[in-house]
Amino acid sequence: MRTRTAALAAMAALVLLPVVAGCGDDDNGGGTQQSATPTATATQGQDQPADPAAARQEIQKNWVAFFDPATPVEQKTKLLENGDRMRPVLEAFAGNPQAAQTSAKVKGITFTSATQAEVTYDLLVGGTPALPDSKGSSVHQQDTWKVSAKTLCALVKLSPDATAVPGC
């Protein structure tokens, strides 16, 4: 319960400060935690990247880096879909003490097209799963596999104090 409360507190920072900062995204679009190579599947008949193994590796690397509190905001904007528009959210997250304990562990990746993937991950607080088996997505944008803005917004909306955040 305590780790879940800490995770929700970290997510609350994503809600409150961006609203004040007025972040915007018009198209709705933790410490490093390493894991074994995540499993991946592609549904029969659906597209997948030209090199699925390389894509899986990049998705895992970028998700871990995105949720690593040691990763600078400038780098995180490059790992998030429409990251420049979502910068106020990232800056708020970086300034939250609870966020300094938050990381992610990718557990599985399923390609839904050549440019999109579903990601199963654990959101960790202090190395302990606070939101195990969470579902998110990754998108291939500007030659990089990125955490989707939709995933970040879903985490923001978990806060009990969540209000409408522009772009989410």
Side-chain angles (χ1 to χ4, degrees), residues 91-114:
E91 289 171 347
F93 189 60
N96 182 282
Q98 294 293 335
Q101 299 177 29
T102 304
S103 60
K105 176 183 174 185
V106 175
K107 297 173 69 176
I109 298 166
T110 302
F111 294 106
T112 57
S113 76

Side-chain angles (χ1 to χ4, degrees), residues 5-29:
T5 301
L8 291 175
M11 293 311 117
L14 292 172
V15 173
L16 299 176
L17 294 175
V19 169
V20 172
C23 77
D25 177 7
D26 296 332
D27 62 347
N28 292 327

Side-chain angles (χ1 to χ4, degrees), residues 39-64:
T39 59
T41 57
T43 305
Q44 290 261 357
Q46 291 188 340
D47 293 338
Q48 59 182 337
D51 187 346
R56 281 191 299 278
Q57 185 176 14
E58 183 180 351
I59 290 168
Q60 179 183 12
K61 180 184 105 189
N62 290 350
W63 272 64
V64 169

